[in-house]
Amino acid sequence: MSRIIFFIFLLLFAYSIQAQQTPEWQDPCIVAVNREPARAWFIPAPSENIALAQDISQNPNYLSLNGTWKFLFIDKPADIPQDFYQNDFDITRWKDIQVPSNWELQGYGWPIYVNIAYEFTRNPDPPRLPVDYNPVGLYKRTFRIPSHWDDRQVFLVIGAVKSAVYVYINGQKVGYSEDSKLPAEFNITPFLNKSRDNYLTLEVYRWSTGSWLECQDFWRISGIERDVFLYSTPQVRIRDFFARAGLTHDFKDGLLDLDVNVKAYDASLSQGMRLSIKLFDAANTLVYSDFKNLSKNPQEEILHFKTVLPNIKAWSAELPYLYNLIITLTGRKGESLEAVAHAIGFRTSEIKNGQFLLNGEPILLKGVNRHEHDPLSGHVVSRASMIKDIELMKQHNINAVRTSHYPNDPFWYELCDKYGMYLIDEANLESHGMGYGDRSLAKDTVWKTAHLNRVLRMIERDKNHPCIIFWSLGNEAGDGVNFDTCYDAVKQRDPSRPVHYERAEGGRNTDVYCPMYPSVQYLEKWASRPQSKPLIMCEYAHSMGNSTGNLADYWKTIESHPQLQGGFIWDWVDQGFLRIDGREKRYYVYGGDFGPSFLPSDSNFLINGLVFPDRTPHPALHEVKKVYQFVDFAFTEPANSSLRVSNKYAFYDLSATSLRLELLVNGEVRGRERLPFQGVVPGGVRDISLPITFKGLYNAADEVFLNVYLVLDQPWGILEKDHTLASEQVVLQSYTQKTEPTYTGNLRMRDVKDLLTIEGKDFEYIFDKHTGQPIQM
């Protein structure tokens, strides 16, 4: 018996040793080591003025590490050179690489496009990963901290890195992080050398256990994809805040419920410090202020503020009114130590009686799915590109975006707050290649920590943005105990927003039924009886090739049933990469155009956007604008002298608009008028009399159309003056032929079986009677 016990002890000891030797990138239970807790996205400033300026280049607490780094590409982890992270390691033969960038687009390895499958294995067996070919990128650079950062805390932020990263400072291991679409933040203060160069080394893995949860339908590429920077804070700092800005008292007043986390690295310093808050409206008028004194000892405390603000201006995508929240930490003498500025909007997002309501009103989500893609830089997307995206979306009546299938660059959320765009914010969580059955990672509790971490870290980063109206637990990752845990955790952390998850199929882990690609007939049948949840299609109208043609049929059905509340077209942008050949011919490439023939590929299935990779619109985008428009036009009486304008906006009254009319007679424009428009309440109608002058421009035998355009009299957010919000062509008078045609000359017609022949003096035409096509002339 004692021998058996001893043998079991040896086995357990051997297993524990093996477990300790498993590196983090191969361990599904380890998602981070020494990484800072997730927090709201902001960079603290030393004063209110600098915080309000929103110019990061003027913030002395910020230091960008973007630019040229030294780089070594390695085919597999076993070939990583020993001590590469030491300061004196010889890197003279390392290459240069730009940060941020995807290394496959810099000539290292190959981009791979697959939809459902994992790109690194044909036989999924998680958590196993390839070891014979699993590229590793080693990045290295030096930096020197500013002298005024002495006696401050210093943090390193890697905005996004795929798929896993180890961080070293001055030859010492700082930590590890997974999740390629959220920031990895580390406190590097203990590792720094003051007043001299510091060496930063990053060890980036193409595939890690995190890759089992990143099986999305897009390019599988690697590297550092967003900004890398340092920031510094005082020894007592504003670590985080959560501004819950809702509506109360029948949606007329604002309810601000604010938590601010203050962390003290030296608790004795917090005595006598004060935290103050100020709230300014868009005219920079102070509407609320308050303060609290810090406690004497705790290392981290949460200071709570709550108030009701009367007659608040609510935020919506139609009227995106923002307030400026300023949080300031002051010292014992009243001096400013740190300040944070963030735009917030007051709005409610809820599901009530089976409908989704924003600010108490049912709204329709006229959406698209958007991948982050650039034809030259891959997943590194510039601010100019993001601005172009939101400008095009607003121009074409798109009011909602699903961040398929991961949290986007933080700047995207700022744009959506400012210009008005509803977001479904989606966690970086997809294990499509495992299927949805018993092998689904959603059902394997070994992966519970990773699931929960990805969802909650997204919420912590993005929680202060009014544009986010749903949290999404992920995409095509099955359903099971891990998503039960995620759903419950989201509801506990932020009950103010509904939860979206397609694979729950309307069950417990979603507050909205969000199917993919249901038919129009299915929607009609589903909506024919009352349902407990609204239906919003997370994907529909797959916009590949000559498609998106039945969009009008979808929306005729959607607008006929109150529990059908829209959907998100798949998808926004063609994910092609630009290639220029030796003759300067420019064209786009896709899956299968890179690397050896044995690489997996789903070919051109990622070329399915409404815009080309350079954001040139496809013809389908014009159809989207027409079907998605929020204003309808129709005649209201047989004489066609009165035009009815129907406003389908939920909050915008069509103020500061005009009607531009064109009279089209037999295909020619005969008259133009621009009529001032007094607007119409949301959901209301207004009848407009047509100009009398039009009556004398056509006669009873003419074909007459009226082209109607609703245009802006002044800029509206990102939309310019004279932009057309909606348009229609309505029939004023149909063509009627009063007399039979008169022919001169000697014409003969012969009708023989399938052919119709018309003969004249010098010609003969033969037509196919079935097709109507001429076959001989």
Side-chain angles (χ1 to χ4, degrees):
M1 187 69 178
S2 61
R3 289 183 178 180
I4 296 175
I5 295 174
F6 179 71
F7 182 68
I8 293 174
F9 173 79
L10 286 178
L11 286 177
L12 291 173
F13 179 74
Y15 177 80
S16 66
I17 294 296
Q18 182 181 5
Q20 291 174 13
Q21 292 175 343
T22 302
E24 291 87 349
W25 65 274
Q26 292 179 306
D27 190 335
C29 297
I30 299 177
V31 297
V33 176
N34 204 33
R35 188 175 65 194
E36 285 289 293
R39 62 176 181 86
W41 183 261
F42 64 90
I43 299 170
S47 67
E48 290 184 11
N49 289 338
I50 294 177
L52 283 168
Q54 298 292 317
D55 183 355
I56 198 65
S57 65
Q58 301 301 312
N59 188 339
N61 293 346
Y62 170 87
L63 179 64
S64 173
L65 297 183
N66 289 349
T68 303
W69 291 48
K70 302 304 291 185
F71 181 73
L72 180 66
F73 181 78
I74 300 165
D75 283 338
K76 59 181 182 295
D79 293 340
I80 297 175
Q82 189 175 2
D83 296 332
F84 68 91
Y85 50 83
Q86 296 294 344
N87 290 5
D88 57 358
F89 188 84
D90 184 7
I91 61 172
T92 55
R93 295 188 179 182
W94 290 23
K95 305 296 185 180
D96 289 342
I97 195 169
Q98 289 300 304
V99 171
S101 70
N102 291 114
W103 70 50
E104 291 84 359
L105 300 181
Q106 305 299 313
Y108 303 99
W110 308 291
I112 300 173
Y113 167 63
V114 284
N115 175 10
I116 297 173
Y118 290 102
E119 74 276 20
F120 52 84
T121 180
R122 295 183 179 180
N123 300 298
D125 186 20
R128 294 180 183 272
L129 294 159
V131 292
D132 292 334
Y133 181 75
N134 183 2
V136 180
L138 303 180
Y139 295 77
K140 204 163 196 174
R141 67 158 293 160
T142 61
F143 64 89
R144 182 170 293 189
I145 61 171
S147 58
H148 64 273
W149 286 14
D150 290 350
D151 301 321
R152 293 170 64 86
Q153 297 291 312
V154 180
F155 298 86
L156 168 69
V157 178
I158 307 167
V161 56
K162 189 173 179 74
S163 69
V165 61
Y166 290 92
V167 177
Y168 305 86
I169 296 283
N170 294 324
Q172 299 181 73
K173 188 174 181 178
V174 175
Y176 170 80
S177 179
E178 293 177 7
D179 188 348
S180 65
K181 296 297 185 179
L182 285 173
E185 183 172 338
F186 300 91
N187 188 335
I188 62 173
T189 311
F191 305 93
L192 293 175
N193 296 319
K194 296 180 181 179
S195 303
R196 54 193 175 98
D197 285 345
N198 291 273
Y199 289 79
L200 169 59
T201 307
L202 303 180
E203 177 186 353
V204 179
Y205 285 74
R206 180 163 193 176
W207 297 306
S208 67
T209 49
S211 302
W212 289 105
L213 299 176
E214 297 179 359
C215 186
Q216 290 100 337
D217 177 14
F218 71 157
W219 284 106
R220 315 292 174 87
I221 47 182
S222 325
I224 301 170
E225 297 184 337
R226 295 179 190 154
D227 295 340
V228 181
F229 60 90
L230 305 176
Y231 73 92
S232 74
T233 74
Q235 296 299 332
V236 181
R237 63 174 291 216
I238 302 167
R239 195 192 69 78
D240 194 12
F241 71 97
F242 191 177
R244 303 170 189 85
L247 298 173
T248 188
H249 300 154
D250 198 25
F251 308 100
K252 293 181 174 61
D253 300 334
L255 177 62
L256 179 62
D257 189 353
L258 173 66
D259 287 331
V260 182
N261 296 55
V262 178
K263 183 174 179 61
Y265 296 91
D266 183 346
S268 66
L269 298 176
S270 61
Q271 184 175 1
M273 289 188 180
R274 173 175 291 183
L275 186 82
S276 63
I277 65 169
K278 298 177 184 177
L279 190 68
F280 295 89
D281 64 14
N284 204 32
T285 301
L286 181 67
V287 296
Y288 173 68
S289 66
D290 200 356
F291 71 88
K292 290 184 184 296
N293 295 320
L294 271 59
S295 301
K296 295 181 179 179
N297 294 315
Q299 288 189 333
E300 182 161 358
E301 63 176 315
I302 300 176
L303 300 171
H304 183 66
F305 302 83
K306 190 171 184 179
T307 189
V308 173
L309 302 168
N311 300 316
I312 207 76
K313 291 187 177 179
W315 184 96
S316 67
E318 299 167 19
L319 301 172
Y321 195 94
L322 293 173
Y323 290 79
N324 243 332
L325 175 66
I326 312 295
I327 307 172
T328 305
L329 184 65
T330 54
R332 299 175 185 178
K333 299 179 180 180
E335 73 279 15
S336 175
L337 299 177
E338 193 171 55
V340 173
H342 199 287
I344 64 171
F346 289 84
R347 60 108 188 91
T348 60
S349 178
E350 61 183 336
I351 291 174
K352 192 173 183 180
N353 298 325
Q355 270 192 307
F356 172 67
L357 307 178
L358 187 103
N359 302 341
E361 297 291 335
I363 64 169
L364 296 177
L365 299 182
K366 302 179 177 184
V368 294
N369 286 272
R370 174 184 176 268
H371 268 302
E372 293 185 313
H373 178 78
D374 185 278
L376 294 174
S377 55
H379 294 166
V380 181
V381 181
S382 69
R383 291 193 166 200
S385 175
M386 287 183 262
I387 293 171
K388 184 64 176 177
D389 276 354
I390 205 158
E391 179 182 39
L392 282 168
M393 290 176 186
K394 296 293 287 188
Q395 287 173 348
H396 292 86
N397 293 319
I398 292 164
N399 74 346
V401 172
R402 177 177 174 227
T403 67
S404 55
H405 301 290
Y406 41 81
N408 286 185
D409 185 288
F411 185 63
W412 177 249
Y413 301 82
E414 294 180 26
L415 292 175
C416 293
D417 287 343
K418 179 178 180 180
Y419 293 115
M421 188 69 63
Y422 300 123
L423 290 189
I424 293 181
D425 199 13
E426 192 151 271
N428 185 21
L429 229 176
E430 181 168 343
S431 53
H432 201 172
M434 295 302 300
Y436 307 141
D438 292 340
R439 298 191 70 208
S440 168
L441 300 186
K443 298 175 172 63
D444 186 347
T445 55
V446 169
W447 298 86
K448 182 182 291 186
T449 296
H451 281 71
L452 188 60
N453 189 268
R454 287 166 180 259
V455 172
L456 289 183
R457 290 181 70 235
M458 170 187 70
I459 291 175
E460 294 302 337
R461 191 197 70 166
D462 299 337
K463 56 185 178 278
N464 294 311
H465 290 284
C467 62
I468 299 170
I469 58 173
F470 281 92
W471 297 119
S472 173
L473 302 183
N475 180 68
E476 294 178 322
D479 198 19
V481 60
N482 293 339
F483 283 102
D484 293 346
T485 302
C486 289
Y487 178 87
D488 293 342
V490 173
K491 286 299 183 182
Q492 182 175 0
R493 179 57 175 147
D494 181 25
S496 71
R497 294 175 173 97
V499 172
H500 164 290
Y501 185 50
E502 179 265 337
R503 286 313 307 164
E505 297 183 323
R508 82 172 295 275
N509 292 331
T510 185
D511 298 323
V512 58
Y513 180 37
C514 41
M516 289 185 176
Y517 307 106
S519 67
V520 174
Q521 293 74 21
Y522 178 87
L523 296 181
E524 288 274 9
K525 182 178 180 181
W526 185 90
S528 64
R529 56 188 177 86
Q531 304 286 346
S532 61
K533 299 176 181 180
L535 188 153
I536 299 171
M537 297 172 287
C538 68
E539 294 178 21
Y540 81 116
H542 193 275
S543 192
M544 187 172 186
N546 184 22
S547 63
T548 330
N550 65 337
L551 202 63
D553 298 330
Y554 270 110
W555 280 87
K556 181 180 179 181
T557 299
I558 290 168
E559 293 182 338
S560 301
H561 300 280
Q563 286 195 279
L564 301 179
Q565 293 191 255
F568 296 80
I569 294 170
W570 188 267
D571 61 354
W572 173 242
V573 59
D574 287 345
Q575 295 178 66
F577 290 135
L578 180 65
R579 184 173 289 178
I580 305 174
D581 65 15
R583 297 182 179 180
E584 296 299 312
K585 182 180 179 181
R586 301 163 66 90
Y587 58 99
Y588 294 113
V589 296
Y590 41 78
D593 286 329
F594 297 89
S597 59
F598 61 77
L599 287 182
S601 173
D602 283 327
S603 189
N604 68 336
F605 199 64
L606 79 176
I607 306 294
N608 44 25
L610 292 171
V611 296
F612 287 96
D614 67 352
R615 275 51 181 182
T616 300
H618 286 191
L621 186 58
H622 301 290
E623 174 74 359
V624 171
K625 177 175 182 174
K626 181 66 178 68
V627 175
Y628 273 11
Q629 71 183 28
F630 290 86
V631 180
D632 284 344
F633 307 93
F635 288 118
T636 60
E637 55 183 70
N640 290 346
S641 61
S642 181
L643 182 71
R644 173 158 291 177
V645 182
S646 301
N647 180 6
K648 298 189 292 184
Y649 284 103
F651 307 104
Y652 175 45
D653 63 4
L654 304 185
S655 59
T657 61
S658 295
L659 284 174
R660 186 162 60 85
L661 307 178
E662 285 182 346
L663 189 71
L664 201 66
V665 181
N666 300 328
E668 296 181 353
V669 177
R670 291 277 182 88
R672 290 188 174 93
E673 290 280 354
R674 182 160 180 158
L675 305 179
F677 189 58
Q678 287 73 41
V680 54
V681 296
V685 298
R686 181 183 292 275
D687 293 338
I688 304 296
S689 297
L690 295 183
I692 298 176
T693 54
F694 280 0
K695 294 293 185 180
L697 298 179
Y698 58 92
N699 57 47
D702 290 328
E703 180 185 58
V704 185
F705 294 96
L706 184 69
N707 294 338
V708 185
Y709 308 90
L710 183 71
V711 298
L712 292 173
D713 289 337
Q714 61 189 38
W716 183 25
I718 205 168
L719 299 177
E720 297 180 350
K721 179 183 177 182
D722 293 326
H723 169 76
T724 298
L725 294 176
S727 63
E728 189 61 84
Q729 184 176 78
V730 290
V731 179
L732 261 175
Q733 179 175 284
S734 298
Y735 174 76
T736 55
Q737 186 172 294
K738 300 299 183 181
T739 59
E740 293 294 324
T742 302
Y743 299 102
T744 59
N746 187 18
L747 289 178
R748 296 182 303 278
M749 183 177 71
R750 289 186 287 113
D751 188 348
V752 181
K753 293 185 178 179
D754 298 330
L755 302 179
L756 181 68
T757 302
I758 299 175
E759 297 176 337
K761 180 179 179 182
D762 299 314
F763 65 89
E764 180 184 74
Y765 294 103
I766 302 176
F767 296 90
D768 186 316
K769 291 166 60 178
H770 297 289
T771 66
Q773 297 294 318
I775 59 175
Q776 180 178 320
M777 300 174 66

